[in-house]
Amino acid sequence: MRRLLLTLLVALGLPAAAQDSDRPAVLVADDLFITRDRELVAQGNVEAFQGTTRIRASAIRYNDETGALVIEGPIVLNDGDGTVILADAAELDQGLQNGLLRGARMVLNQQVQMAAVQIDRVEGRYSQLYKTAVTSCKTCNDGELPLWQIRARRVVHDTEAQQLYFDDATFHIRSVPVFYLPRLRLPDPTLDRADGFLAPSIRTTSLLGTGLKLPYFITLGESRDLTLTPYLSSSTRTLEFRYRQAFTNGDIEFDGAYTRDDQLPDETRGYLFGEGSFELERGYKLSFTIEAVSDSSYFTEYSYSDEDRLRSDLTLSRARRDSFVRTSLYNFETLRPGELNSTLPTVVIDGEFERRFFPKAWGGELRFGLEAHSHWRSSDVDVIGRDVSRINGSLKYLRRFTHRSGLVTDAQVGATFNFFDITQDDTFAQNHSDIAPFAAVGLSYPMARREAGGASQVLTPVVQLGWTDGSRLDIPNEESTRVEFDQGNILSLSRFPRPDRRERGTTAAVAVNWSRFDPNGWDTYVAVGQVFRSISDPAFTDTSGLSGVRSDVLLAGQIKNNAGLSLTARTLVDSDFDISKAELRGGWSFGKTTVEGTYVWLEADTAEDRTEAISEVSLDGSYDINKQWSASADVRYDVQNSTAATAGLGLTYNNECVSVDLSVRRRYTSSTSVEPSTDIGFNIGLRGFSASNGTERYERSCGK
C-alpha cells in the first residue's frame, strides 16, 4: 500500500478567533478514495492536521458539501495547547472545532485525565464531558481504581478561561465516596493563578490542640494576590494572611496573622512581617522590612518564626564600581527574657558613603569613607538610657607592587577622624573627637605547584606590619561588644566590628594559607594565623582570642570532595592549648541519604553576657526510601547541660497525584513566657491542578 498526501484547500468560514482555521488542512493515509456521494475516505494509518491541531485514526470520512468529518477509532486528537483527547469514534466539523466524541478520555498538560462516555466540542473553546471520572493518578489496564478521583455528571473545560466546571461532583478515595458538591470549579493544569482553595493542613500541638488550616487564594489582578488561611482549633481562632504585589520596578510582600485564643483570652494577638524593594532612578535601590508581634511567646506557640529580636528598617542605597552610598533607619524590638526595650537601642539611624579614586600620576587607589550613626533609648534614666551619635571618616591610599621574584607588597597609609556625642550619661563627657593616622605594609609570597595527576597546590605565607597612632577616646563600648577573630580580619588594622573601638599601637600579623585543588577528587584549604601587638587592648574579651599582646592561634580549614562530603572548621587555641571558641560544620550526601550538622563551642565569658559555656550540636538529615517515600529528622542537643533543645521527625509521600506530609516536633526548652510543647503537622494535597509539572520523579509505574 502506498501513502498519499492530499492538501485540502477549503474555505472554512470559521470565526476570526480561530487562527489555525485559516490554514489549509493536510491529510495523510495509506488509502484514499472518493465515493459516489462525494465523500473523501482515508483509511489506514490516517493522520490529519490543521495548524497545531492533529488527529490520528484508523479511518476518516470527509463530506465536501458539509465539511463534516466522521472519524473511526482508536483516535488521538492533540490540539497543540497541551490537551490530548483519546476516543473510540468522533464526528467533527471541518475546522475540528465542534463535534462529538464517544468513549473519550481527555488529558490536560500531561497531568489531569478525564474519562467520559461522551465529549462535545463547542467552538473550539469548550469541551463538555458527560458521566466523567477525573484524576491525576496514573491509571493502568489492570482494573485497579486510582487512589482518588472526582466523578461528575458533567464537566465543562473552558480552554480560554483555563477552568474546569463540575456538576454533581463526588470525591472518591478508591471506590469510597467521601463528600458531594453540587457545583465545583477547579483550575486546569495550564493556569498559573486562579481563585480557590489550596491544600488544607492539620496541626496538633500540646498548647493549642488539634486544628485545621484551609488556605484560600484570591487573585487581585495580574500583579497582586491575597491568601487567607483560617486556622481553627479548640484553643484558637486565627486568620493568617499573605499579600503580594509586583510593580514595574519592584515588589512587596506582607505576611501576618490575627488571633484570639485561650492562651491569652482577653487579648488580641498576632504578627506582621513585610518586605519590599524598588529600583529607583540613577541606580538607587529602596528597600524596607517590617517585623512586629503582639507578645514574646506568640512565635514560639504558633511556630511562625524563630526570631527573638525583631528588626524593621527602611534603606536607600546605591552601589557602583567606584562608589557606594547607604542610609538606613532601624527599629529593634527584643523578645528575649530579661531584656527591656526601654534600655536597649531601639531606634537607630545609620549611613555610610565610600568613594574610590585611581590617580594616574601616583598609581594605586585613593579611598575616602564616611559613616554616620545614632542610636536612641526610650528610657530617661541616667546611664541605662544613654544615647550616642557619632561621625567617623577615613582617607587612605593603597598600592600593590608585584616583584619579578613573585613577592607581592601591599602598602597603605591614611588617617581616621572621629566625632562622638553622648547624652543621658553623666559618667562620660558629652563630646569627644580625635584623628588617628595609620600605616601598614604587607608581604605575601604565593607559591604554586602542579601535581602529575592534575591537582594543584598553592602555599601563601603572609606577614603584615601595621601602626595606628593615638589613644582611645574615653567613650562607652556600645557597638563592639562581640568580636570575632577569623580569616576575614586577620590582616585588618582594627578587628573591632564597629568604629566606636579601634586598635592602637603597633601590630604584626602572620598567616599561612595552603590550598589544594583536585579536579578528580578532594579539595582542601587550611589557614593558620596569629596577631602580635606592642600593647594589650583591654577592650578585647578573654574569649575573643585577641586579648593580651599575643593573640590565640587561629586555625581554619575546609575539605570537600566530589562524593558529596564537605567539612568546614574554625577554632582559636591559646598558648596553653586551651580552646576558647570552636565551630565545625559539615554535610554528606551519599546515595539516598543527606546528613548535615553543626557543632559550636563557646567558653564562658561574663564580658559577653555568657555566664556558662555553650556546647551544642545540631544535626538534620533525610533519606529517600524510594521514589515516593522520604524520611527526615533533626535534633539540637545541648551537650553542656546534657539536654535536648529541639527534635523533629518527618515523613513525606509524593506521587504524581497526591502529596502527604507528616511531621512531629518537640521543643524541650522553657522560660517564664514559654512552656515546652509538641507539634504534630499533617498536610495533604492533590497534584495536577496547577501549572507546575515537576512530578516525573514521583510517577509510579504500572505493575508496581
Side-chain angles (χ1 to χ4, degrees):
M1 304 291 287
R2 63 188 181 91
R3 297 181 63 84
L4 300 176
L5 174 64
L6 179 64
T7 303
L8 305 175
L9 300 174
V10 293
L12 298 177
L14 292 177
Q19 298 176 0
D20 288 338
S21 64
D22 295 332
R23 303 176 184 178
V26 177
L27 183 69
V28 180
D30 291 334
D31 271 340
L32 187 68
F33 59 89
I34 299 176
T35 66
R36 294 180 179 179
D37 299 329
R38 298 190 58 79
E39 279 190 343
L40 178 65
V41 180
Q43 293 180 334
N45 299 316
V46 180
E47 294 185 27
F49 48 94
Q50 183 179 44
T52 59
T53 303
R54 295 173 177 267
I55 293 179
R56 288 182 301 176
S58 59
I60 294 180
R61 295 177 176 272
Y62 173 71
N63 190 305
D64 186 37
E65 295 181 359
T66 64
L69 289 171
V70 178
I71 308 172
E72 299 177 6
I75 302 168
V76 179
L77 188 152
N78 190 330
D79 64 2
D81 62 356
T83 300
V84 178
I85 297 177
L86 311 175
D88 296 332
E91 297 179 7
L92 300 172
D93 66 4
Q94 57 186 352
L96 309 179
Q97 305 295 305
N98 298 276
L100 175 68
L101 298 95
R102 296 185 178 88
R105 176 177 296 177
M106 178 183 291
V107 182
L108 304 178
N109 203 34
Q110 302 181 14
Q111 295 185 65
V112 175
Q113 54 180 314
M114 300 181 287
V117 174
Q118 175 180 311
I119 298 179
D120 291 345
R121 284 176 62 85
V122 181
E123 298 178 359
R125 172 178 174 177
Y126 301 100
S127 295
Q128 298 186 72
L129 296 86
Y130 297 93
K131 295 183 179 180
T132 310
V134 180
T135 185
S136 60
C137 298
K138 189 178 185 69
T139 56
C140 304
N141 295 325
D142 55 4
E144 184 178 355
L145 293 173
L147 179 62
W148 67 265
Q149 60 180 320
I150 301 174
R151 297 180 183 177
R153 177 177 56 82
R154 186 183 71 155
V155 177
V156 177
H157 179 218
D158 186 340
T159 58
E160 185 174 311
Q162 298 171 289
Q163 296 286 334
L164 294 168
Y165 301 92
F166 295 75
D167 292 338
D168 296 327
T170 306
F171 183 82
H172 290 249
I173 297 179
R174 294 299 186 184
S175 60
V176 179
V178 178
F179 60 84
Y180 165 81
L181 291 173
R183 296 289 186 272
L184 176 65
R185 176 179 59 84
L186 292 173
D188 80 7
T190 63
L191 184 61
D192 292 329
R193 301 163 67 246
D195 294 353
F197 289 100
L198 304 179
S201 62
I202 298 174
R203 182 172 183 253
T204 299
T205 75
S206 57
L207 296 177
L208 303 175
T210 300
L212 174 67
K213 292 186 177 184
L214 186 59
Y216 189 83
F217 183 81
I218 306 171
T219 57
L220 302 174
E222 295 183 356
S223 60
R224 297 179 297 166
D225 59 58
L226 175 66
T227 303
L228 298 176
T229 306
Y231 171 31
L232 301 176
S233 76
S234 58
S235 299
T236 183
R237 280 88 47 209
T238 297
L239 179 63
E240 302 172 4
F241 63 87
R242 183 191 68 182
Y243 176 80
R244 301 183 300 179
Q245 183 169 356
F247 303 88
T248 55
N249 63 335
D251 58 81
I252 60 174
E253 179 175 337
F254 292 92
D255 296 86
Y258 175 86
T259 295
R260 301 285 292 187
D261 60 19
D262 296 342
Q263 301 298 311
L264 298 174
D266 298 327
E267 297 184 18
T268 297
R269 311 178 72 189
Y271 83 100
L272 176 65
F273 278 7
E275 62 180 5
S277 62
F278 298 89
E279 300 293 337
L280 306 181
E281 296 181 356
R282 301 176 58 189
Y284 284 97
K285 181 178 180 179
L286 178 67
S287 62
F288 71 87
T289 302
I290 298 174
E291 295 182 352
V293 69
S294 60
D295 55 86
S296 59
S297 60
Y298 186 76
F299 282 152
T300 305
E301 294 175 4
Y302 284 83
S303 300
Y304 288 130
S305 174
D306 295 326
E307 298 286 344
D308 58 2
R309 278 183 177 169
L310 305 183
R311 188 189 78 173
S312 301
D313 67 82
L314 178 65
T315 299
L316 179 67
S317 63
R318 183 179 70 179
R320 291 182 172 178
R321 179 181 180 273
D322 298 330
S323 66
F324 175 75
V325 61
R326 177 189 61 84
T327 179
S328 301
L329 174 63
Y330 299 94
N331 182 79
F332 293 93
E333 180 183 359
T334 182
L335 306 178
R336 297 180 181 181
E339 290 187 347
L340 299 176
N341 285 295
S342 60
T343 60
L344 294 176
T346 54
V347 178
V348 177
I349 300 175
D350 201 64
E352 60 181 314
F353 170 79
E354 190 170 40
R355 181 67 185 272
R356 301 194 303 167
F357 304 91
F358 300 92
K360 295 182 179 179
W362 311 335
E365 176 186 339
L366 185 65
R367 187 177 299 178
F368 172 73
L370 189 65
E371 183 173 338
H373 172 90
S374 179
H375 60 256
W376 175 80
R377 292 175 170 89
S378 60
S379 174
D380 294 329
V381 180
D382 189 49
V383 181
I384 64 174
R386 179 174 52 236
D387 303 325
V388 177
S389 299
R390 60 174 172 82
I391 296 177
N392 309 94
S394 66
L395 180 66
K396 60 183 175 181
Y397 173 73
L398 303 95
R399 184 75 182 270
R400 167 169 287 192
F401 303 91
T402 303
H403 307 280
R404 292 184 178 180
S405 62
L407 181 69
V408 178
T409 302
D410 289 290
Q412 59 175 304
V413 62
T416 64
F417 55 91
N418 310 279
F419 301 93
F420 291 86
D421 181 82
I422 302 171
T423 58
Q424 284 196 173
D425 191 342
D426 291 341
T427 61
F428 292 95
Q430 180 172 351
N431 297 314
H432 304 262
S433 63
D434 74 341
I435 296 178
F438 63 85
V441 59
L443 301 174
S444 61
Y445 192 73
M447 296 172 284
R449 186 181 75 173
R450 184 171 294 277
E451 301 176 7
S456 61
Q457 298 185 42
V458 178
L459 178 66
T460 307
V462 179
V463 60
Q464 177 181 276
L465 184 64
W467 165 80
T468 302
D469 193 22
S471 300
R472 175 169 299 133
L473 296 174
D474 184 21
I475 58 176
N477 186 358
E478 288 277 85
E479 303 173 63
S480 298
T481 58
R482 302 292 186 272
V483 178
E484 290 293 331
F485 180 33
D486 55 27
Q487 309 95 292
N489 61 16
I490 191 171
L491 297 180
S492 299
L493 287 179
S494 180
R495 294 161 190 85
F496 290 103
R498 302 290 284 176
D500 63 338
R501 284 288 183 274
R502 187 173 182 86
E503 294 184 54
R504 307 286 177 159
T506 303
T507 61
V510 180
V512 177
N513 298 315
W514 175 80
S515 58
R516 182 180 184 272
F517 303 97
D518 188 346
N520 301 316
W522 297 87
D523 291 342
T524 310
Y525 167 78
V526 176
V528 182
Q530 192 171 17
V531 176
F532 305 87
R533 57 175 56 86
S534 59
I535 56 174
S536 63
D537 195 326
F540 287 124
T541 63
D542 293 336
T543 60
S544 67
L546 293 165
S547 60
V549 295
R550 183 176 60 181
S551 76
D552 294 350
V553 176
L554 169 66
L555 297 175
Q558 183 182 59
I559 185 170
K560 60 181 181 179
N561 65 6
N562 296 336
L565 176 65
S566 176
L567 290 174
T568 302
R570 177 171 63 97
T571 187
L572 298 175
V573 183
D574 64 16
S575 57
D576 297 327
F577 297 98
D578 292 330
I579 296 175
S580 59
K581 291 183 179 181
E583 180 183 26
L584 175 65
R585 297 178 181 271
W588 190 17
S589 298
F590 55 98
K592 299 180 179 181
T593 305
T594 299
V595 179
E596 295 180 348
T598 302
Y599 173 74
V600 175
W601 160 259
L602 298 175
E603 198 174 55
D605 191 344
T606 56
E608 294 187 357
D609 300 325
R610 194 166 52 251
T611 57
E612 61 179 24
I614 294 177
S615 179
E616 188 174 277
V617 174
S618 297
L619 293 173
D620 64 85
S622 62
Y623 177 72
D624 294 331
I625 302 172
N626 53 36
K627 287 184 177 181
Q628 285 79 42
W629 288 95
S630 64
S632 62
D634 65 88
V635 63
R636 186 162 60 90
Y637 187 79
D638 186 347
V639 180
Q640 181 69 19
N641 298 312
S642 301
T643 57
T646 61
L649 293 173
L651 186 63
T652 302
Y653 176 80
N654 285 286
N655 64 22
E656 75 285 349
C657 66
V658 69
S659 62
V660 181
D661 178 71
L662 175 65
S663 63
V664 180
R665 175 162 295 278
R666 173 68 176 172
R667 179 176 47 79
Y668 298 90
T669 56
S670 62
S671 66
T672 56
S673 60
V674 177
E675 299 178 359
S677 64
T678 301
D679 293 356
I680 300 175
F682 180 73
N683 297 274
I684 184 169
L686 303 182
R687 293 183 180 271
F689 298 103
S690 64
S692 61
N693 190 21
T695 60
E696 292 84 358
R697 171 187 172 188
Y698 310 115
E699 186 174 349
R700 298 167 299 160
S701 300
C702 291
K704 295 184 180 180

